[in-house]
Amino acid sequence: MMSALIVIAACLLLALLLFDRLLPDQAARLALKLERRRSGLSLAEAAVPGFSMPYLQGGREQQETLVLVHGFGGDKDNFTRVARFLTPHYRVICPDLPGFGDASRDPAASYTMADQVLHLRAFLDQLGLEKVHMGGNSMGGFITAQFSATFPERVASLWLLDAAGTAAAQGSAILQRYLQTGEMPLLLRSEQDFTKLIRTTTHRPPFLPWSMRTTLARRAVRDYPLHSRIMQQLTASPLLETRYSTLETPCLIVWGQQDQILDPAGAYSFQALFPDNQLQMMAGIGHLPMVEAPKRSAIDYLAFRTALAGQVSEAVALGEN
């Protein structure tokens, strides 16, 4: 009986491996569907002027809304694993920014940080969201920080994970080499470059099935011409400290100490910009804390929000006295 079960299990494993190798697009879609379901997320789509913006949503509508914005070359599923620990507490929304993920692409459009801020505002308007909590990784951190500066009345708090947008953050060796040579691990010329991408964005690479790696690599190669132009627009966008001195939005600043893409010194430049902050430096983590350590990242965020709620309650009580 035991030997028969072992044979059946081996056959099932072989079938899964063949499915993963022979039909990578279908296998990747199935894997994403299962991950999203496990995290309580469903797929929807919004339309903003000039673009469609698919997004993931989870939690209940009556809960406070947390909008999470991916970084350069990423997509809405960068937050799927961390969302598993957040959807019981908040309404979580993760959009694809124009030019990325499954969002539409217009080669003639502009994708500066200011443009993406306006796209994000149009997205919130489309969903009828007036005031939300926001989080962003890398480029997404730049966009959400600038959004909070531009529309402070619409942002209750910020969660910045290895955020771009300051001179210190963007002083990393990789970005300086990009400015000199145009070479950047986030820009893939071939599928083989995907291994280098994972190696430079994570310190402890998460498990990714072959189908997912292949599908993401192929998409990145197709996007190389457009993303090369977007990278130029990103690095040419005015840095936050050149436009703002003090921003009042409460902010949790998170940085992986082994980040190679953006310099961890950027954490302290964001502290200077956002005086009402908490700082969490994560040892043994690279550029994507929410991917490398989703549970730990979520626990830190929940603690931040609990402390923030306590501050709000105290302020209300003082105001009533």
Side-chain angles (χ1 to χ4, degrees):
M1 181 65 178
M2 184 61 68
S3 61
L5 290 175
I6 293 173
V7 170
I8 292 171
C11 289
L12 288 173
L13 179 59
L14 179 60
L16 286 173
L17 290 174
L18 287 173
F19 177 53
D20 190 63
R21 287 277 177 169
L22 298 178
L23 298 169
D25 291 341
Q26 294 89 327
R29 283 196 296 270
L30 178 60
L32 282 177
K33 187 175 181 179
L34 293 173
E35 282 274 12
R36 292 168 183 173
R37 180 178 297 177
R38 188 181 179 194
S39 295
L41 299 172
S42 60
L43 183 63
E45 186 167 337
V48 303
F51 298 96
S52 65
M53 290 180 63
Y55 63 96
L56 298 174
Q57 60 180 349
R60 299 188 302 275
E61 288 195 13
Q62 60 267 36
Q63 294 172 312
E64 289 187 289
T65 300
L66 171 61
V67 177
L68 298 173
V69 183
H70 63 80
F72 185 92
D75 60 34
K76 56 191 176 297
D77 281 294
N78 286 176
F79 293 99
T80 295
R81 290 179 179 174
V82 73
R84 183 179 314 151
F85 308 102
L86 300 174
T87 49
H89 307 278
Y90 314 114
R91 182 187 182 192
V92 177
I93 294 176
C94 312
D96 276 338
L97 292 170
F100 298 93
D102 296 318
S104 54
R105 289 149 169 74
D106 180 356
S110 176
Y111 297 88
T112 66
M113 299 303 95
D115 292 319
Q116 295 286 29
V117 164
L118 295 179
H119 297 148
L120 190 54
R121 181 184 66 170
F123 174 79
L124 297 184
D125 291 344
Q126 181 71 18
L127 271 60
L129 298 171
E130 289 298 322
K131 189 168 187 177
V132 299
H133 298 265
M134 279 189 171
N137 169 241
S138 193
M139 178 187 73
F142 193 161
I143 292 166
T144 54
Q146 189 160 322
F147 188 102
S148 75
T150 309
F151 307 108
E153 72 284 356
R154 302 194 68 169
V155 184
S157 72
L158 277 175
W159 184 17
L160 301 180
L161 300 118
D162 296 63
T166 68
Q170 295 179 205
S172 66
I174 281 179
L175 268 175
Q176 293 308 303
R177 187 161 55 249
Y178 164 74
L179 294 174
Q180 296 169 7
T181 68
E183 294 298 318
M184 159 64 72
L186 301 180
L187 298 169
L188 274 62
R189 296 178 184 269
S190 69
E191 291 181 34
Q192 289 69 37
D193 290 338
F194 191 79
T195 299
K196 184 178 181 181
L197 170 68
I198 294 297
R199 191 168 60 246
T200 52
T201 54
T202 60
H203 185 66
R204 297 183 297 184
F207 170 74
L208 283 176
W210 185 88
S211 58
M212 187 66 66
R213 297 171 67 92
T214 300
T215 300
L216 292 175
R218 289 173 179 173
R219 185 181 73 186
V221 172
R222 289 194 301 270
D223 280 333
Y224 178 82
L226 176 61
H227 283 186
S228 294
R229 190 161 65 83
I230 296 177
M231 178 60 75
Q232 292 172 356
Q233 294 180 349
L234 189 165
T235 54
S237 292
L239 296 172
L240 293 166
E241 66 259 47
T242 66
R243 303 183 63 192
Y244 314 105
S245 56
T246 301
L247 300 173
E248 296 181 358
T249 307
C251 183
L252 173 61
I253 303 163
V254 177
W255 221 286
Q257 290 184 347
Q258 277 64 51
D259 190 347
Q260 299 179 64
I261 302 296
L262 295 173
D263 196 308
Y268 307 107
S269 62
F270 276 100
Q271 276 195 301
L273 272 173
F274 292 92
D276 185 2
N277 73 78
Q278 291 184 26
L279 174 63
Q280 184 67 47
M281 302 298 290
M282 299 181 74
I285 300 297
H287 187 58
L288 306 170
M290 70 288 182
V291 173
E292 290 187 67
K295 186 174 182 178
R296 180 180 163 193
S297 297
I299 288 172
D300 289 341
Y301 181 70
L302 291 171
F304 164 71
R305 288 290 300 274
T306 298
L308 182 61
Q311 291 172 7
V312 172
S313 298
E314 184 178 349
V316 170
L318 289 173
E320 291 175 348
N321 293 330

